[in-house]
Amino acid sequence: MLKGRHVIEPGNLSVQEIDEICALAEQMIVDPASFSDVCRGKILATLFFEPSTRTRLSFEAAMQHLGGSVLGFADANATSATKGETLADTIRVVSSYVDVIAMRNPKEGSAYLASKYSACPIINAGDGGHHHPTQTLTDLVTIRALKGGWEGHTVGFCGDLKFGRTVHSLTKALSRYPNNKFVLISPNELSIPDYIIDQVLRPAGIQYTTAERLEDVIGDLDILYMTRVQKERFFNEQDYIRLKDSYILDKEKMKMAKENMIVLHPLPRVNEIAPEVDDDPRAAYFKQVKYGMFARMALISKLTGAL
Ligand code: CP
């Protein structure tokens, strides 16, 4: 039963529940009109304390496609947070107006904190470098649509694996399915946190290797998950400038990849995928964006009890 639940990280959903949400998203992709009224009378709040294009707008589009309505903010400077109101009080107030809240906040743990004070479900739309579970639902819907399932893939995660919350959430989700192998491609300074290795990959018995050069491993991959080096997570601009162009996927590197490899990216991209790759049939990141809206439609329908 998903009605009324909070979704802070992928582990809050069982394998069966993830399957149920993704299967519903797949039905919505095929026949969106059949779901156009299921959230009539329900309200979603989008509380974005950090910038977003895809996540906020896809949540809002999702609720509108379900017949519900939306309120919220995209800039915390226009809220009483600037007067010193705590997150706890903001959530107590907003949750008395709406049926479900999607919140992004730069502080790790903020979504969990919000869930302690909320009278309605909290969906974590990204908490700092921690987790981004609806990006993971997006990625899972995309992988199942394009690769047929979630098992037996060699997945390369490339770029900022240290701060990349989408990587933390997707490694956690894919570790629950058999025979996946991970190739962790990053500069040493941006390697995946020890807690993901110790608490996620090792207990799940996931085989993983590390690499510093994408061209050394790209030929082994079924799925390449590119990520952006995130300027906003660095304390020191010099470090960002030194690391920002560590990886650039271009046509030359794509020639070394399997013919059926797919390239995913949560977006936004900066330099890490050259625009010349966009026309390659293996580039799936704009399809992924579209699937994200349906994944969020399915999740909203389940958490509000509409379906
Ligand atoms: N993928 C993602 O979270 O994009 P936005 O930052 O634009 O929401």
Side-chain angles (χ1 to χ4, degrees):
M1 181 68 163
L2 284 157
K3 183 180 176 187
R5 296 251 299 274
H6 304 295
V7 178
I8 309 304
E9 52 115 329
N12 297 142
L13 300 168
S14 69
V15 168
Q16 290 76 14
E17 287 164 344
I18 285 187
D19 191 50
E20 197 183 317
I21 293 163
C22 292
L24 179 58
E26 286 155 9
Q27 287 177 40
M28 290 171 161
I29 291 167
V30 173
D31 184 13
S34 292
F35 300 92
S36 62
D37 221 25
V38 298
C39 280
R40 179 79 52 210
K42 296 193 188 295
I43 305 175
L44 164 76
T46 52
L47 310 186
F48 276 64
F49 295 86
E50 192 182 57
S52 166
T53 297
R54 272 146 297 276
T55 310
R56 185 174 66 83
L57 296 181
S58 67
F59 263 114
E60 296 186 0
M63 191 49 148
Q64 289 175 26
H65 280 296
L66 294 167
S69 42
V70 179
L71 55 78
F73 56 82
D75 179 1
N77 287 323
T79 75
S80 289
T82 58
K83 302 173 200 163
E85 185 164 57
T86 62
L87 180 62
D89 282 359
T90 302
I91 293 295
R92 281 187 178 111
V93 171
V94 176
S95 70
S96 70
Y97 303 149
V98 304
D99 301 283
V100 58
I101 294 175
M103 184 186 82
R104 172 171 291 185
N105 191 293
K107 292 193 183 130
E108 281 90 357
S110 53
Y112 177 74
L113 178 80
S115 71
K116 296 288 148 204
Y117 294 94
S118 182
C120 71
I122 295 285
I123 305 173
N124 181 9
D127 60 333
H130 190 215
H131 277 294
H132 193 347
T134 62
Q135 181 65 49
T136 298
L137 292 172
T138 300
D139 301 338
L140 291 175
V141 170
T142 309
I143 290 169
R144 190 150 77 179
L146 302 182
K147 300 297 284 182
W150 300 322
E151 303 177 9
H153 302 305
T154 299
V155 187
F157 293 93
C158 180
D160 176 2
L161 310 190
K162 179 177 181 183
F163 299 112
R165 59 193 173 201
T166 60
V167 171
H168 305 162
S169 288
L170 186 57
T171 51
K172 193 160 187 177
L174 286 176
S175 293
R176 298 159 96 184
Y177 301 95
N179 302 322
N180 289 316
K181 293 182 198 162
F182 297 160
V183 184
L184 306 172
I185 309 149
S186 71
N188 195 37
E189 292 103 315
L190 296 179
S191 58
I192 205 157
D194 288 343
Y195 87 89
I196 298 282
I197 304 280
D198 296 337
Q199 296 173 29
V200 179
L201 307 193
R202 289 210 173 108
I206 288 283
Q207 280 187 46
Y208 70 92
T209 54
T210 58
E212 287 212 23
R213 282 163 39 94
L214 176 57
E215 47 273 53
D216 290 346
V217 294
I218 193 168
D220 301 331
L221 306 178
D222 303 311
I223 298 167
L224 171 59
Y225 197 91
M226 292 296 294
T227 62
R228 172 177 66 99
V229 175
Q230 302 174 77
K231 188 176 184 186
E232 64 274 27
R233 308 273 176 240
F234 280 80
F235 292 113
N236 176 339
E237 194 172 3
Q238 296 306 320
D239 286 346
Y240 169 69
I241 290 167
R242 186 167 50 81
L243 294 168
K244 71 184 175 68
D245 292 329
S246 298
Y247 300 101
I248 299 178
L249 181 66
D250 56 16
K251 273 189 172 172
E252 282 307 303
K253 291 195 188 78
M254 288 298 283
K255 282 182 193 161
M256 300 177 215
K258 292 180 186 172
E259 277 185 20
N260 64 350
M261 185 190 80
I262 57 168
V263 182
L264 303 182
H265 190 311
L267 304 181
R269 67 157 155 199
V270 186
N271 286 332
E272 61 278 4
I273 302 179
E276 66 186 20
V277 176
D278 296 355
D279 294 331
D280 189 305
R282 295 168 290 182
Y285 29 91
F286 290 115
K287 282 186 195 146
Q288 191 181 353
V289 166
K290 185 107 191 190
Y291 290 136
M293 185 186 74
F294 292 104
R296 293 179 175 107
M297 284 170 69
L299 184 65
I300 291 168
S301 303
K302 290 286 182 187
L303 299 186
T304 57
L307 288 174

